[in-house]
Amino acid sequence: MNNFKTRNNASSAGRKYILPLAALALTGSLLSACGSGNSGSENAGTATAAPGSSAKPAEATVLSMGMLPSIDEIPFIIAHEQGFDTEHGVNLDIQTFKSAKDRDAAFQAGKLDALSADLIAVAIYNNAGLDVKIASSTFGEFDLLTGSDDVKEVKDLKGKSLILSKNTSTEYTVATMLKQAGLTEDDIQVTEVPQIPTRLELLKNKKSDAAILPEPYVTMGETAGLRNLGSTVTAGINPFVLAVPQKAIDAKPEAIRAMYAAYDEAVDYMKSHDQSDYIDTIIKTVGYPEDLKDKIKVPAYTPAAQVDPKQVEEAFAWAKEKGLLTKDLTPEDVISDVQFKN
């Protein structure tokens, strides 16, 4: 996916740090991975036995998760650090990757049972022949920032330059925001910069009028004086999901359900504890600079829920327009009921 600030015109959804996914590279490389998967492996951790029980503790099924350093990862991290996962009989093997490319390489090698992704990525995966399902939506957010004095709102971007990563959910987000402002992608000058830190630096140095960014770069940019024009939240879209290969769903359905039980318990933990009890985990996980510690506001996470089919439909329609999706995929084709029923 994805600042932790509370905004008057936004919901409390968090932002997701999602690094761009190169569609053409994915399409070629993922085709060779259609049959790969390590989902059936049952590496074990140890679950805690019930108090007073003489029975041997049950072995917790390992669920390997490929995440990016983002705010949607936080409940999963806390679930593991607090031992909520093993209490429910699953051991969350959370592997945090610095880029979507590295995460996808592990996915192709069959090392991941689940991964943080987005609706455009799910379209690309399935278009490449991979049977990848959406297990749930996740917390995430992209924000559109500007440092240009004459850009006060999105409609002022007409004729201006904007940095994003093409064929990804960042471009989908920008296209949606432009459409809502009465503009199209043809009305702006797009510069493609996949590297998110570079996007921020170019924007700060006035090499572009605007850029679409996730956390922690939104907070870093706003701290440097950049202004926020809107986000996925204000635009009413949520492309952020937890993707699970069908092979993993078939092999580990109970582990996936246990993962969500642990996730919800982590959400309850954050609601009932002071932010100072886990803020260091957030800094470490998301990559916030230590000097921004006092500026971080943790979003009001809610229990996990399934993605809205309409969100899938709209994202897939855009992917078709861009030529990223050539198959006739419906929400029913990609939404799993392993945990949530629609």
Side-chain angles (χ1 to χ4, degrees):
M1 24 92 89
N2 303 197
N3 99 19
F4 283 137
K5 293 182 178 179
T6 300
R7 293 197 177 88
N8 293 331
N9 62 346
S11 76
S12 58
R15 298 180 173 84
K16 181 178 181 198
Y17 177 87
I18 296 186
L19 292 179
L21 202 58
L24 296 179
L26 261 178
T27 302
S29 63
L30 291 177
L31 280 171
S32 64
C34 294
S36 67
N38 191 35
S39 304
S41 65
E42 295 292 336
N43 298 324
T46 301
T48 304
S53 172
S54 60
K56 181 180 178 180
E59 296 296 318
T61 300
V62 170
L63 198 70
S64 56
M65 306 184 69
M67 311 293 287
L68 298 173
S70 57
I71 59 174
D72 71 318
E73 182 185 17
I74 292 169
F76 294 106
I77 291 287
I78 290 178
H80 183 65
E81 288 190 347
Q82 295 297 319
F84 301 146
D85 55 350
T86 53
E87 288 177 6
H88 289 281
V90 63
N91 184 355
L92 300 183
D93 175 20
I94 301 173
Q95 303 170 35
T96 302
F97 298 91
K98 293 182 178 179
S99 72
K101 180 180 179 180
D102 292 339
R103 178 206 59 195
D104 289 331
F107 174 48
Q108 293 169 48
K111 296 179 180 179
L112 301 176
D113 297 312
L115 59 157
S116 60
D118 59 75
L119 293 175
I120 304 306
V122 170
I124 294 171
Y125 287 142
N126 281 276
N127 202 62
L130 295 178
D131 191 1
V132 179
K133 296 294 195 292
I134 298 168
S136 72
S137 63
T138 59
F139 268 75
E141 191 171 330
F142 291 137
D143 288 66
L144 189 58
L145 300 187
T146 183
S148 178
D149 292 337
D150 55 349
V151 176
K152 307 299 183 184
E153 49 189 316
V154 176
K155 67 178 183 180
D156 297 331
L157 288 172
K158 186 172 183 177
K160 303 290 186 180
S161 59
L162 192 150
I163 302 173
L164 48 72
S165 181
K166 290 184 177 180
N167 301 328
T168 69
S169 277
T170 59
E171 186 179 9
Y172 170 57
T173 298
V174 169
T176 301
M177 295 176 74
L178 289 173
K179 183 177 180 180
Q180 292 174 351
L183 303 176
T184 70
E185 291 180 79
D186 292 333
D187 290 319
I188 61 172
Q189 302 169 24
V190 173
T191 300
E192 181 171 23
V193 180
Q195 300 82 7
I196 297 172
T198 305
R199 278 186 236 165
L200 178 58
E201 288 307 309
L202 289 172
L203 189 57
K204 287 166 61 177
N205 290 310
K206 299 189 179 301
K207 301 298 183 182
S208 180
D209 295 301
I212 188 83
L213 297 164
E215 281 296 354
Y217 300 95
V218 174
T219 294
M220 293 164 66
E222 291 180 337
T223 301
L226 299 177
R227 298 188 310 283
N228 198 306
L229 297 175
S231 68
T232 47
V233 174
T234 60
I237 60 175
N238 179 25
F240 314 109
V241 299
L242 187 73
V244 182
Q246 184 61 49
K247 187 173 182 179
I249 294 171
D250 294 338
K252 302 181 179 180
E254 292 302 325
I256 293 171
R257 287 189 277 270
M259 171 197 70
Y260 281 115
Y263 179 99
D264 289 349
E265 194 166 347
V267 169
D268 289 340
Y269 171 87
M270 285 187 282
K271 287 180 179 178
S272 62
H273 286 71
D274 190 89
Q275 182 172 304
S276 61
D277 292 341
Y278 52 86
I279 193 64
D280 289 337
T281 294
I282 291 175
I283 290 174
K284 178 179 67 175
T285 301
V286 183
Y288 276 89
E290 187 70 30
D291 59 3
L292 294 182
K293 189 171 185 176
D294 294 336
K295 297 182 180 295
I296 299 172
K297 296 296 181 183
V298 179
Y301 290 101
T302 58
Q306 186 52 280
V307 66
D308 181 351
K310 185 178 178 182
Q311 294 279 349
V312 180
E313 208 169 63
E314 293 175 351
F316 280 13
W318 180 84
K320 272 204 163 188
E321 289 176 10
K322 300 294 290 186
L324 304 176
L325 179 62
T326 58
K327 295 182 177 180
D328 291 325
L329 284 180
T330 67
E332 291 73 21
D333 293 328
V334 297
I335 296 177
S336 171
D337 63 357
V338 64
Q339 172 68 16
F340 304 105
K341 308 292 183 182
N342 280 321

